[in-house]
Amino acid sequence: MSSAVQRRRPPTAQQFVLEELRRAITSGELKPGGQIRQDALAARLDVSRVPLREALKTLEAEGLVVHHVHRGYFVAELSLDDLEEIYRIRGLLETEAVRLAVSRGPDGLTAALEQIQGEVERAADAGDVTAMAAANRRFHFTLVEASGMPRLVRLIATLWDSTDAYRSLYYTEVANRERAVREHRAVISAVRHGDTDAALRWLHDHRAHAVAALREVLDLDA
């Protein structure tokens, strides 16, 4: 996490630590099942144990880390069954959110998606997994938030948070990054034309490809 001190810190130490932990988990620097060594991490981030503990509790509540008595904190591991269940539930919820978003067609939605897609593509071209994951999240949540249903969006966010540790496994491969870019472009086109069914089909394929890639990786690790 040597780059941490080079970036502008958020307003509080806890927010700073939380941001850095999320980045490390999403990028694959901290891998599923890996132990989070608090003393070393506090020293590297130049913070006390207090904001670190608070950040870990936040991530534990989100399901990103787990705490084992007498052993400490670890990045949460999910089985293939867990991942498939999460993506299936995401599909059910996101279908409702996207259906509403496209039918409402709020002003500026397509333009906002296009702008964020530019960030996705720049990160994909650079092979910057962390930046691509962050831009990808902004893309999808810009779309579902256009549903105007904040409670539904919060449920979807909970599911997204629980799989953050596995996103880097998908975006590491060039072919997966390129596929995601193409699928995003197709979604934008569907939204622009008000074609709800097409948008939902592309998003279904988008999720299915992610699950298939993760299935392959987890099978190899088994």
Side-chain angles (χ1 to χ4, degrees), residues 86-104 140 143-149 152-153 155-156 159-160 187 191 195-208:
I86 289 167
Y87 271 85
R88 184 173 182 180
I89 298 170
R90 256 189 58 192
L92 295 171
L93 298 181
E94 289 176 8
T95 293
E96 180 67 13
V98 172
R99 194 180 299 281
L100 288 165
V102 176
S103 66
R104 292 178 74 228
H140 285 274
L143 181 54
V144 298
E145 285 169 1
S147 67
M149 298 188 70
L152 178 57
V153 172
L155 290 172
I156 294 170
L159 296 168
W160 269 74
V187 170
V191 171
D195 190 339
T196 304
D197 290 340
L200 293 176
R201 282 197 304 273
W202 280 108
L203 288 166
H204 175 272
D205 290 348
H206 193 50
R207 289 187 298 269

Side-chain angles (χ1 to χ4, degrees), residues 114 117-118 121 139 180-190 192:
E114 286 278 10
Q117 179 62 8
E121 294 181 16
F139 179 93
V181 165
R182 292 194 301 271
E183 290 165 349
H184 279 197
R185 280 284 166 196
V187 170
I188 292 173
S189 178
R192 179 183 296 112

Side-chain angles (χ1 to χ4, degrees), residues 22-128:
R22 286 190 192 283
R23 182 195 63 76
I25 291 171
T26 303
S27 69
E29 182 180 337
L30 291 174
K31 300 183 183 301
Q35 185 173 13
I36 300 172
R37 303 188 182 282
Q38 295 184 55
D39 288 337
L41 186 56
R44 291 177 67 180
L45 296 179
D46 191 24
V47 296
S48 72
R49 291 284 295 273
V50 174
L52 179 56
R53 282 196 300 268
E54 292 303 313
L56 287 168
K57 287 178 182 177
T58 298
L59 294 177
E60 183 182 19
E62 294 175 1
L64 265 180
V65 304
V66 293
H67 182 260
H68 298 299
V69 178
H70 305 310
R71 295 179 60 205
Y73 284 94
F74 294 77
V75 179
E77 286 186 283
L78 296 173
S79 68
L80 181 55
D81 286 344
D82 293 332
L83 284 165
E84 289 180 338
E85 180 184 11
I86 289 167
Y87 271 85
R88 184 173 182 180
I89 298 170
R90 256 189 58 192
L92 295 171
L93 298 181
E94 289 176 8
T95 293
E96 180 67 13
V98 172
R99 194 180 299 281
L100 288 165
V102 176
S103 66
R104 292 178 74 228
D107 291 342
L109 176 58
T110 302
L113 292 174
E114 286 278 10
Q115 181 177 357
I116 300 168
Q117 179 62 8
E119 299 174 23
V120 172
E121 294 181 16
R122 285 191 291 275
D125 290 343
D128 189 335

Side-chain angles (χ1 to χ4, degrees), residues 12-27:
T12 69
Q14 182 183 336
Q15 289 173 317
F16 166 66
V17 174
L18 187 59
E19 180 183 280
E20 286 303 309
L21 281 169
R22 286 190 192 283
R23 182 195 63 76
I25 291 171
T26 303
S27 69

